[in-house]
Amino acid sequence: MKKIFGTALAVISAIALLSGCKKKDSSVTIKVGATPVPHEGLLNLVKDDLAASGIKLDIIEFNDYVTPNSAVESGDLDANFFQHKPYLDSFNSEHGTHLVDIGGIHIEPFALYSKKYSKLEEIPEGATIAIPNDPTNEGRALLLLQAANLITLKSDAGLEATPVSIESNPKNFKFTEVEAASLPRVLPDVDAAAINGNYALAVGLNSTKDGLFVEGKDSPYVNIVVTKAGRENDSALKALVNALQTQKVRDWVKENYPNGDVVTVF
């Protein structure tokens, strides 16, 4: 009987050990790169929800638009959350990367800001306007200026318009191309600047209150979660997107951005 009892205990211990190993193996860590506002805030919001499902979310902060894509391509990151689809398409084309959109989350309305003028019509002839220097956001800025009736673009300009795409510039504006993250910093030194929503938010600029002209809500520039091609069906990454597309996130955005600086799209 002692022998049988001892054998039973050994079996039970082995099962418990295997169960413990299985539980340990079922947890997973995903590294996600993000720009600070609002992307990092949104990721932190869902961090505990993912942890409850056995997914540890490791958030890596970036302040540029190139490094987080390169890191996903190389495998140093599992995903990133900072960019819109037109930028992703342009980046893949320019760098030969294989990055894919796995879920749209929100729009950050793009706006024209000025520290010197409070109305569009006050911007003088020959004024200098700062715009992003990456292809898609530069085009986005010029489309914004066209929508504000400040310039007219050639009919074939498209989403990647550049200053050479300008057909009409009645006030002879000068354009200075600046890295997107640096636009808020140069704003006092120019007459106006077209600034991405995340960088405007980071320095306390409110598009509704401070913007001279704001992009419409029908914008194609939806901010997306991105991973490398082949990982679209990764269960942990799917869980991340699902966590970001919830009522909890909608409520948080409405509470924190009541003036429409961030608008959910799901």
Side-chain angles (χ1 to χ4, degrees):
M1 180 66 74
K2 279 186 176 181
K3 185 177 181 181
I4 294 172
F5 184 69
T7 301
L9 280 176
V11 170
I12 291 170
S13 297
I15 291 172
L17 181 61
L18 288 171
S19 298
C21 290
K22 185 177 180 182
K23 183 176 181 182
K24 184 178 180 181
D25 291 341
S26 66
S27 64
V28 63
T29 297
I30 53 173
K31 291 185 177 182
V32 180
T35 44
V37 183
H39 306 83
E40 188 175 8
L42 287 166
L43 290 173
N44 276 312
L45 179 68
V46 303
K47 196 170 186 176
D48 289 344
D49 299 326
L50 290 169
S53 301
I55 300 169
K56 180 184 176 183
L57 178 59
D58 187 3
I59 305 167
I60 314 297
E61 182 182 313
F62 291 89
N63 284 291
D64 72 282
Y65 286 170
V66 175
T67 312
N69 271 345
S70 299
V72 172
E73 178 71 15
S74 67
D76 292 331
L77 292 177
D78 298 292
N80 65 46
F81 179 37
F82 74 93
Q83 67 196 308
H84 50 63
K85 186 65 163 56
Y87 181 81
L88 172 65
D89 292 341
S90 175
F91 191 93
N92 278 332
S93 176
E94 183 179 345
H95 297 273
T97 45
H98 311 84
L99 308 176
V100 293
D101 164 19
I102 56 172
I105 310 301
H106 69 279
I107 291 172
E108 299 159 18
F110 202 73
L112 183 69
Y113 299 91
S114 176
K115 290 292 187 181
K116 299 176 180 179
Y117 309 104
S118 57
K119 296 179 182 178
L120 279 178
E121 53 268 28
E122 293 177 357
I123 301 176
E125 184 162 345
T128 297
I129 298 179
I131 57 177
N133 66 357
D134 60 274
T136 50
N137 285 306
E138 182 171 50
R140 188 180 185 183
L142 294 172
L143 287 167
L144 178 76
L145 296 175
Q146 177 172 253
N149 296 316
L150 296 178
I151 61 171
T152 302
L153 298 172
K154 296 174 183 176
S155 58
D156 61 349
L159 294 179
E160 293 192 5
T162 68
V164 299
S165 306
I166 296 173
E167 186 171 72
S168 173
N169 182 6
K171 285 192 169 183
N172 297 308
F173 293 138
K174 299 179 183 69
F175 298 96
T176 180
E177 297 163 303
V178 178
E179 184 184 2
S182 299
L183 284 163
R185 189 167 64 249
V186 305
L187 181 58
D189 303 319
V190 295
D191 294 293
I195 304 177
N196 295 73
N198 58 320
Y199 292 129
L201 288 168
V203 296
L205 289 172
N206 178 291
S207 61
T208 304
K209 183 182 70 173
D210 304 310
L212 301 185
F213 190 82
V214 185
E215 185 177 59
K217 291 184 180 180
D218 57 348
S219 166
Y221 298 93
V222 175
N223 280 234
I224 54 179
V225 179
V226 168
T227 191
K228 190 170 183 178
R231 297 198 62 189
E232 298 93 326
N233 295 315
D234 184 296
S235 59
L237 297 181
K238 280 188 169 184
L240 170 64
V241 173
N242 289 337
L244 288 168
Q245 294 177 336
T246 60
Q247 188 61 46
K248 176 181 180 178
V249 170
R250 282 197 193 99
D251 292 342
W252 186 87
V253 167
K254 287 180 181 177
E255 180 181 349
N256 287 274
Y257 302 101
N259 293 316
D261 288 306
V262 177
V263 181
T264 54
V265 299
F266 51 87

